[in-house]
Amino acid sequence: GAQPHPVKKPSKTMEINSNLACTIYRHSLSTPDAPAVVCRGQSLNYAEFANGATRIATCLRQSDAWRQPAGSPPRVGILASRGIDACVALMGACWAGATYVPIGLKLPEERILTLLSLCNLSAIIADEEGAKLLSERVLAACPPLVIHTGKAPAAASNPAVELIALDALPAATATEPALMAASDTAYIIFTSGTTGVPKGVMISAGAARHYVAMITEQLGLQASDRALETCELSFDFSVHNMFSTWEAGASLHILPATMVMNAVKFAQNSGLTVWNSVPSLAGLLRQIKALKPDSLSSLRLTVFGGEQLPEGAVAAWQSAAPNSTVFNLYGPTEATVFCLAQTTPLSITPGRGVVAIGAPLPGNEAAIFDAHGQEVADGTPGELAIAGVQLADGYHDKPELTAARFPTRDGKRWYLTGDLAIKDAAGTFHCLGRIDNQVKVMGYRVELEEVDAHLRVTSGADVVGSVAW
């Protein structure tokens, strides 16, 4: 059972701590019985959530495997599907002061091995589904410590790896989350790379904390809200869904992957007030005729992001959720989730039938550059660039790519998004597509050059070509 922390004021150190776990700690003291995360009929309140996280954090920090690369926090891989165990695992890593690195469960074994070789992890936390991927080859590449929440895999292939069940962890000794500076890396999310090797986007604790506090205020999230989670940890939309909900002291309701087709019924049964998803899900629900008038009347906020939002999908959604304000958010992983937004009434991009991506959120700037790096006049298409406090530190162990995609112009650091866009006379930005070969699948970025690279490896071809689509 839960062992809530004794009620006391956070220390002065906590006030300057950029650790993403600090909010959970505060709520565990002020509203310990409030629900924090709900999935498949199970729930954890904030006290129970904090207790699970501190048990993991205690194990990590006391382990002989705990190591810290020079100038950066230790890194902990999260091999878990979306669910309560994944949330506790992630929060335990954050509480310990680690950089969390989500590893997608749908990745092939070779990709998992590649990520492990790139990350120099101190530990891995795996749920029951993630533990199934710990084959002999993967275990041989694992860090010295693996904490698992389900059935333990065989460890004979690598006796150097210590396997510890979550239920067997000792009682927590940690109280406040470990101190993290704003410059420390909060998480690394890997995205598709044009060379066939994934690139890890490094987001600082300061950038993440700014985003979470800013977007919670912009959306007006409240402790009484019940917010939807539809994303895996390896998709940075999950950062928004989880941490903005917990920032407000609200409850996160996780939609299991097997229930996507019944998402409307899930929302009704859960009494959701906040909907978070890619527009594709709304399109799917519209296609199967699940978006009936007033079927989502409990919603007061709808957050769409990760893809272009079709005008037709918005009309169907507003009929189904007449009490909900719709927010269309835009942002690449390299700018800490979302950096531009607009809300009702929504502007439509002329001739394209999609909702505009809006204007910069507080702390962010946006501009349109031509091929020579010069800012263009309003109404002229060019590459969308982002600046501000949310920019990533760059790509893990890729200094040349970092320099190319994060140039400094006139003393200001920018991220070149690769999106073709224009800014209209009202200051609203409109996305017109890509200037490269990147596509999105349910919000996930896929570089066609990476597909090309893997096809050539698989086919044994030694001539570099281009993929024909």
Side-chain angles (χ1 to χ4, degrees):
Q3 299 176 5
H5 298 291
V7 177
K8 61 179 183 178
K9 292 184 179 180
S11 69
K12 292 183 179 180
T13 302
M14 276 283 293
E15 300 303 320
I16 60 170
N17 195 346
S18 294
N19 193 322
L20 287 171
C22 288
T23 295
I24 306 301
Y25 176 66
R26 290 190 177 96
H27 290 311
S28 75
L29 301 180
S30 60
T31 56
D33 297 325
V37 56
V38 181
C39 184
R40 296 186 182 275
Q42 296 181 323
S43 66
L44 292 180
N45 61 35
Y46 275 94
E48 294 166 334
F49 193 17
N51 182 65
T54 53
R55 289 179 68 194
I56 289 177
T58 299
C59 178
L60 290 172
R61 296 183 66 84
Q62 292 179 350
S63 170
D64 293 338
W66 196 247
R67 59 179 182 269
Q68 182 166 334
S72 62
R75 302 187 188 113
V76 174
I78 311 295
L79 190 62
S81 57
R82 65 176 181 257
I84 288 179
D85 286 350
C87 292
V88 174
L90 177 148
M91 193 54 61
C94 292
W95 208 292
T99 299
Y100 80 85
V101 184
I103 302 173
L105 297 191
K106 294 182 180 180
L107 295 177
E109 185 175 85
E110 291 299 329
R111 174 57 64 91
I112 293 175
L113 292 171
T114 298
L115 293 184
L116 292 177
S117 70
L118 293 173
C119 291
N120 187 28
L121 300 176
S122 293
I124 286 178
I125 309 173
D127 69 357
E128 188 168 359
E129 291 301 311
K132 294 176 182 178
L133 301 181
L134 296 176
S135 64
E136 289 191 5
R137 293 184 68 204
V138 173
L139 276 171
C142 276
L145 175 63
V146 175
I147 301 172
H148 61 89
T149 63
K151 183 179 178 181
S157 60
N158 188 1
V161 173
E162 181 183 11
L163 290 167
I164 302 179
L166 181 61
D167 290 343
L169 294 182
T173 59
T175 51
E176 295 185 357
L179 180 65
M180 291 190 77
S183 58
D184 287 336
T185 304
Y187 62 85
I188 300 175
I189 285 184
F190 281 86
T191 67
S192 183
T194 57
T195 63
V197 178
K199 54 183 186 288
V201 183
M202 302 184 298
I203 300 296
S204 72
R209 276 298 310 151
H210 167 85
Y211 175 78
V212 171
M214 176 274 297
I215 202 66
T216 302
E217 180 179 358
Q218 291 292 306
L219 297 178
L221 296 175
Q222 303 168 6
S224 58
D225 278 322
R226 298 181 175 192
L228 178 66
E229 170 63 288
T230 57
C231 303
E232 302 296 337
L233 299 184
S234 54
F235 184 13
D236 75 328
F237 201 160
S238 68
V239 175
H240 167 89
N241 297 343
M242 294 184 297
F243 290 105
S244 67
T245 299
W246 297 329
E247 178 81 4
S251 58
L252 184 73
H253 294 253
I254 301 173
L255 176 69
T258 55
M259 295 183 63
V260 169
M261 301 289 283
N262 295 313
V264 171
K265 190 69 174 177
F266 178 88
Q268 293 169 342
N269 291 341
S270 303
L272 293 184
T273 61
V274 180
W275 180 282
N276 302 302
S277 82
V278 293
S280 297
L281 180 53
L284 171 65
L285 296 175
R286 180 189 182 198
Q287 186 176 7
I288 64 176
K289 303 187 185 305
L291 293 183
K292 301 184 184 303
D294 297 323
S295 57
L296 292 168
S297 58
S298 69
L299 296 180
R300 71 177 194 88
L301 293 172
T302 297
V303 174
F304 288 127
E307 301 169 328
Q308 290 191 330
L309 177 59
E311 182 179 10
V314 172
W317 189 267
Q318 290 176 322
S319 174
N323 303 316
S324 176
T325 301
V326 176
F327 286 82
N328 184 42
L329 304 185
Y330 164 90
T333 304
E334 288 87 346
T336 312
V337 198
F338 299 121
C339 52
L340 276 77
Q342 69 158 330
T343 187
T344 310
L346 298 168
S347 299
I348 306 300
T349 299
R352 297 186 65 86
V354 296
V355 176
I357 58 177
L361 287 163
N364 296 276
E365 297 181 51
I368 307 295
F369 291 142
D370 63 19
H372 305 290
Q374 300 299 312
E375 190 168 354
V376 302
D378 291 353
T380 303
E383 183 174 12
L384 177 61
I386 306 297
V389 298
Q390 291 179 201
L391 286 197
D393 291 334
Y395 299 110
H396 171 59
D397 204 25
K398 291 184 180 293
E400 293 182 358
L401 181 60
T402 297
R405 301 309 300 171
F406 292 87
T408 298
R409 293 174 177 171
D410 296 327
K412 186 178 297 183
R413 186 169 177 261
W414 295 87
Y415 169 66
L416 305 179
T417 66
D419 281 328
L420 182 67
I422 61 169
K423 183 175 72 169
D424 64 24
T428 299
F429 288 81
H430 302 259
C431 187
L432 307 178
R434 295 290 296 177
I435 62 173
D436 56 18
N437 290 324
Q438 184 187 109
V439 297
K440 284 201 171 184
V441 181
M442 293 295 287
Y444 287 86
R445 287 156 48 172
V446 178
E447 304 282 358
L448 296 189
E449 289 90 343
E450 180 176 12
V451 178
D452 182 43
H454 283 285
L455 286 176
R456 285 188 279 108
V457 170
T458 302
S459 65
D462 55 4
V463 177
V464 176
S466 61
V467 180
W469 292 85

